[in-house]
Amino acid sequence: MSRVCLPLTAPTLEENRRIVEAQRPYLDLVELQADTLDPAELPSLGRFPSLVGLPAALTARRPADGGRFGGSEAERRRILARAAGGYAYVELEEDVADPVLEKSLREGGCRIIRSFHDLEATPADLAGRLARLARREDEIPKAAVMVRGVADLEPLLGAFEGLEGRRKILLGLGPFGACTRILAGRLGSWLTVAAPPGEEPAAAEPDPRLLHDLYRFKELGRQTPVYGVIGNPIAHSRSPEIHNRGYQALGMPGVYLPFLVDDAPAFLGLAPRLGVRGLSVTIPYKQAVLAALAGRDEAVEAVGACNTAIHGAGGWYGTNTDVEGFLAPLRRQAPEVLRPGARATVVGAGGAARAVVYALRRAGVEVLVLNRTPSRAAALAGRFGAGHAGLDRRGLEAMAGYRDLVVQSTPAGMEPQEQSDPVAGYRFQGSEVVYDLVYRPHWTALLRRAARAGCRTVHGIDMLQAQAEAQFRLFTGSDYPHLPGAGDSRYNPPRQL
Ligand code: NAP
C-alpha cells in the first residue's frame, strides 16, 4: 500500500496548518517546503510537526530540484538540520554528502529520503540511478522525473519493474506522468504526491480527497485491474467519474484513469505494464489506435473508428460502443424514429457522425448528411447509401424531407462555442426528435430552440452514459449499477431550459 503525501507551499505555518486540517482524513504525511516559507517563519518551523499531528517531511529545494531556495548552501543545510527532533523525514539530494548533518538527523529520529530530480526528462538509466541512490539501508531513495510523453513512460516503467519489491519513491512529473502517481500503490512507489486542494479538483491531477473518493487510492494493489481513457486533451473527461462510481457501487476492484497520450499505438504497447486491461478511446485517437489492434469487430470495420480497446491473450481487440451508446437513449425515449423508413438528418461528417449514420442505416432509417465541408458529407453518405448536402441554404431546405429525427454531431454548441447553432436557419415544426451529441452544456443552443418549438430532445450526456455503460459491461462482465445522480438524464432531471 502506498501513502498520500501533501506538499505544503503556503508562506506561513498557520496557513499550512489550515490546509492540512481540511485534508487530514485523506493524508498519511505532509511535506513542508521550507523554500516557500516566509523567512520570518523559519525560526519556528521545528514546531510544525506537533502543530499538525501528522508525520512530516522537511524539504528546502534548490531551483534545479524544482524549489525556490535562494540562499547559500550552508544556510540551506542549517534549515534542514532543524528536522531533527520532530520531523519524521528529511529530504537530502543525491549530491549532498555531509556526514555531520546526516548523523545529527539520524540521531534526532529523522529518516533520510535521498532524492534526485530531473525536471526536463526521464533519464534512460533511471532504474540504475535509483538503485544506487541510497547510501545506507535506512535511507529511502526517491526519483522525481519529468515525463514528456509516452516515450518517457518506458524507462519509468522499467525502473518500477527493475526495482520491484524494493522500497522507493518514484514519481512521474507533469500531465503525462500523472498516471504513475495515481497508480503508486499498484506500481510500487512508497508514497505519492497529491495535488494541492483547489476549488475544482481535476481527475487528471487529483488532490488528496479525490485520490481517496474517486480512485480509492488505499485499495490499489499489485492485482487491481486498471482501465482508463486515452485522449489529448483529457483533463475534463467525465469517464473516470462514471466508471469509478460503477466499481465502487458494485464493490468490485478496479480503477479507471484519464491517460494523457501523445502517441496512441505506443501507449497501447505499454499499457499492459501499467496493469491496463481496457481502454476507452477519445478525440483524437479513434482512428490512430486501429494500427495497434490485433482484432476488431464489425462496428469498427464499418465506422472506421474504435472507441473501446480490450486487452486479452492475443493483444488488443477493438470495438465501438458509440454505436450502441447513440442508439440506447433513442430506444428508450423515441423508438419510433428507429423504424425502417423513418427519415433523419445528421449534421456533421466526423467520427461521431460515422457511428450515427452506420447505426441509423443499419436500422433501415433514410439519412441525409449535412456538413460544413460538403465533400466530407458526400464521402460519408456514399459509404452508407445516404443523401448529402452542404451546411447551407440548400442543405437546410433538404431537411424538410428528413425530419423525424435531427442529430447534431459537430462540436458547434459545445463549450466554449455555446452560442453556436449549426442549423440556425432551419425552422423546427415541433414534431422532430432532436438529438445533440454535445454533452457540455446539457442544453445547447440548438436543443433550447428545439424544445421551445415543442420538439422532444435527447441529450449528449445520455449517449455518453450509454456508451460508457456498454464499455463497463465489456471491461467487467457486469451491468452498470443504477446510480441516482449519475450523469444520465434518466437519473438527473434535465436542468432548466
Ligand atoms: P470530428 O471527427 O473532429 O468531426 C467534427 C465534425 O464537426 C466535422 O464534420 C466538422 O466539419 C464539423 N464541425 C466542426 N466545427 C464545426 C462548426 N463550428 N460548425 C459546423 N460544423 C463543424 O469530431 P467527432 O469525434 O465527430 O465529435 C463531434 C462532437 O460529438 C464533439 O463535440 C464530441 O464531443 C461529440 N461526441 C459526443 C459523444 C457522446 O457520447 N455524447 C460521443 C462522440 C462524440 P468539417 O468536416 O467541415 O470540418
Side-chain angles (χ1 to χ4, degrees):
M1 190 178 69
S2 187
R3 295 153 184 78
V4 176
C5 176
L6 181 63
L8 298 167
T9 58
T12 68
L13 296 177
E14 178 51 24
E15 280 172 79
N16 284 314
R17 187 195 66 76
R18 271 190 256 128
I19 294 168
V20 174
E21 214 39 61
Q23 300 289 319
R24 179 179 295 282
Y26 315 109
L27 295 177
D28 298 298
L29 67 154
V30 295
E31 174 193 305
L32 185 68
Q33 298 188 348
D35 51 297
T36 64
L37 277 178
D38 190 304
E41 298 280 308
L42 292 176
S44 319
L45 64 76
R47 67 187 176 88
F48 189 69
S50 57
L51 208 60
V52 293
L54 273 173
L58 183 66
T59 63
R61 293 206 184 98
R62 304 162 292 196
D65 302 312
R68 285 194 240 155
F69 192 81
S72 70
E73 184 59 13
E75 270 175 72
R76 194 173 81 93
R77 294 193 189 177
R78 272 198 296 279
I79 291 170
L80 290 170
R82 294 201 199 125
Y87 285 80
Y89 307 96
V90 64
E91 191 171 304
L92 298 185
E93 295 78 6
E94 190 179 25
D95 59 300
V96 173
D98 190 333
V100 177
L101 171 66
E102 292 167 24
K103 184 163 180 285
S104 86
L105 287 167
R106 275 190 211 102
E107 287 175 357
C110 192
R111 190 120 178 233
I112 294 172
I113 295 173
R114 187 68 67 173
S115 72
F116 81 84
H117 294 81
D118 190 328
L119 306 178
E120 302 293 324
T122 303
D125 62 342
L126 180 60
R129 220 171 138 188
L130 188 59
R132 291 188 296 273
L133 206 54
R135 309 246 170 94
R136 294 169 38 127
E137 265 294 292
D138 57 1
E139 291 190 354
I140 304 175
K142 166 182 172 181
V145 296
M146 183 57 69
V147 180
R148 292 165 302 177
V150 170
D152 276 348
L153 285 175
E154 173 70 44
L156 187 52
L157 291 178
F160 275 116
E161 290 156 357
L163 301 176
E164 172 143 22
R166 288 171 65 176
R167 190 180 48 219
K168 61 193 169 295
I169 300 171
L170 190 44
L171 304 167
L173 303 178
F176 289 100
C179 56
T180 65
R181 281 175 275 131
I182 298 171
L183 292 176
R186 194 186 197 288
L187 296 172
S189 178
W190 188 77
L191 64 70
T192 197
V193 170
E199 294 209 337
E200 241 187 89
E205 285 289 344
D207 69 3
R209 181 197 295 262
L210 210 57
L211 273 175
H212 176 272
D213 290 353
L214 183 65
Y215 296 114
R216 295 185 293 172
F217 182 81
K218 284 303 175 68
E219 293 171 37
L220 305 185
R222 298 289 305 142
Q223 303 306 323
T224 306
V226 180
Y227 308 97
V229 53
I230 60 170
N232 191 346
I234 202 63
H236 295 291
S237 169
R238 300 278 300 265
S239 299
E241 189 190 327
I242 296 174
H243 286 261
N244 284 314
R245 287 192 67 184
Y247 311 140
Q248 287 173 27
L250 294 179
M252 56 171 53
V255 64
Y256 185 104
L257 272 70
F259 291 106
L260 179 67
V261 158
D262 59 353
D263 180 337
F267 185 79
L268 261 63
L270 282 172
R273 293 165 64 190
L274 284 160
V276 176
R277 299 185 186 180
L279 286 170
S280 313
V281 182
T282 189
I283 294 173
Y285 296 126
K286 289 183 185 182
Q287 278 151 7
V289 293
L290 297 177
L293 299 178
R296 59 185 78 176
D297 70 1
E298 185 221 319
V300 172
E301 208 60 65
V303 173
C306 162
N307 84 329
T308 310
I310 299 151
H311 193 255
W316 288 98
Y317 182 80
T319 179
N320 193 321
T321 64
D322 279 340
V323 176
E324 173 56 24
F326 166 72
L327 289 172
L330 279 180
R331 285 202 203 99
R332 280 196 306 268
Q333 298 174 41
E336 73 281 6
V337 300
L338 292 176
R339 72 181 188 283
R343 299 179 75 81
T345 298
V346 175
V347 182
R354 276 204 301 276
V356 168
V357 175
Y358 167 70
L360 290 174
R361 292 296 296 132
R362 218 179 38 168
V365 176
E366 297 301 325
V367 174
L368 170 71
V369 180
L370 300 184
N371 194 47
R372 186 175 62 179
T373 307
S375 58
R376 291 188 75 195
L380 173 57
R383 188 168 177 161
F384 294 106
H388 63 89
L391 204 46
D392 48 25
R393 195 167 58 80
R394 201 176 64 80
L396 297 183
E397 281 168 13
M399 283 177 74
Y402 294 85
R403 62 180 176 209
D404 295 321
L405 171 68
V406 175
V407 182
Q408 198 301 113
S409 72
T410 82
M414 184 168 76
E415 293 169 358
Q417 307 177 43
E418 280 124 310
Q419 302 315 316
S420 183
D421 173 348
V423 288
Y426 173 77
R427 185 187 288 266
F428 287 109
Q429 306 298 298
S431 56
E432 300 90 336
V433 171
V434 185
Y435 191 161
D436 199 333
L437 267 51
V438 166
Y439 58 86
R440 209 189 301 255
H442 187 79
W443 283 101
T444 58
L446 171 80
L447 287 181
R448 244 186 268 123
R449 193 163 66 79
R452 282 197 204 102
C455 301
R456 272 179 296 160
T457 59
V458 184
H459 296 251
I461 190 73
D462 292 349
M463 171 169 172
L464 183 76
Q465 182 78 21
Q467 64 79 27
E469 290 185 6
Q471 287 177 338
F472 191 91
R473 268 191 300 281
L474 290 165
F475 291 162
T476 66
S478 299
D479 282 340
Y480 193 81
H482 288 277
L483 295 175
D488 190 323
S489 58
R490 271 180 298 166
Y491 314 120
N492 235 358
R495 274 142 269 166
Q496 298 227 307
L497 263 183

